[in-house]
Amino acid sequence: MCEEDSVTYLRDLCREKEILDRQILERKDNPDSSINLTNKLLTQEISRVQSGGRPPGRENRLLDVYNEKPVRVTAKILVPVKEHPRFNFVGKLLGPRGNSLKKLQEFYLYQFLTILTKNK
């Protein structure tokens, strides 16, 4: 079923690209940047689907909330220590005696932040 959808989607993309190529040839003396951008996007989408990508809307992005397994969301944030070597980033994030971090954890009812540092 999914392969049939991919083939149909790819066929539609190729048709659109052919139509757009004809329009580009007709307007060769007056090129339009929006047509060139559309052509570039169509080419990228065709290559994505040909390399095994799924058509839009077919990807499973939903989360099973009934499974009751804890969900771990992580985000790595790089701190500009080299640009600001004298600023105490860890102290600012934690606050006095870790109160800033504790308040965030109580407010969101979750372990909000883990700070990893490198030794100098």
Side-chain angles (χ1 to χ4, degrees), residues 2 8 16 19-20 23 30 38 42 44-46 65 67 71 79-80 83-84 87 90 92 100 102-103 111 117:
C2 185
T8 306
E16 289 292 326
I19 293 170
L20 198 63
Q23 288 179 356
N30 187 10
T38 308
L42 275 173
Q44 288 176 355
E45 184 68 10
I46 288 171
V65 294
N67 202 358
V71 178
V79 180
E83 288 83 13
H84 308 283
F87 189 78
V90 176
K92 195 58 123 172
S100 299
K102 289 177 189 174
K103 286 179 185 177
Q111 182 182 0
T117 60

Side-chain angles (χ1 to χ4, degrees), residues 4-120:
E4 293 174 10
D5 293 340
S6 294
V7 170
T8 306
Y9 180 63
L10 187 61
R11 188 179 308 131
D12 292 341
L13 285 174
C14 291
R15 285 183 193 147
E16 289 292 326
K17 186 162 177 10
E18 289 173 5
I19 293 170
L20 198 63
D21 287 340
R22 282 189 227 127
Q23 288 179 356
I24 289 174
L25 288 175
E26 290 173 1
R27 298 182 184 185
K28 200 159 199 160
D29 57 335
N30 187 10
D32 188 8
S33 63
S34 64
I35 291 178
N36 290 334
L37 180 61
T38 308
N39 191 16
K40 187 183 232 182
L41 289 172
L42 275 173
T43 305
Q44 288 176 355
E45 184 68 10
I46 288 171
S47 64
R48 186 187 72 80
V49 172
Q50 284 177 340
S51 66
R54 294 182 179 173
R58 299 289 181 199
E59 297 165 355
N60 190 9
R61 293 187 179 198
L62 300 177
L63 181 65
D64 186 13
V65 294
Y66 297 108
N67 202 358
E68 296 184 15
K69 288 184 180 178
V71 178
R72 185 174 200 145
V73 179
T74 60
K76 185 175 183 179
I77 301 170
L78 299 177
V79 180
V81 176
K82 291 182 180 177
E83 288 83 13
H84 308 283
R86 295 185 179 180
F87 189 78
N88 184 8
F89 288 101
V90 176
K92 195 58 123 172
L93 290 170
L94 292 177
R97 295 189 205 138
N99 284 337
S100 299
L101 182 61
K102 289 177 189 174
K103 286 179 185 177
L104 285 173
Q105 288 176 355
E106 289 173 5
F107 183 74
Y108 289 106
L109 301 174
Y110 195 73
Q111 182 182 0
F112 194 144
L113 182 65
T114 303
I115 299 174
L116 302 174
T117 60
K118 290 184 179 178
N119 294 332
K120 291 185 178 181

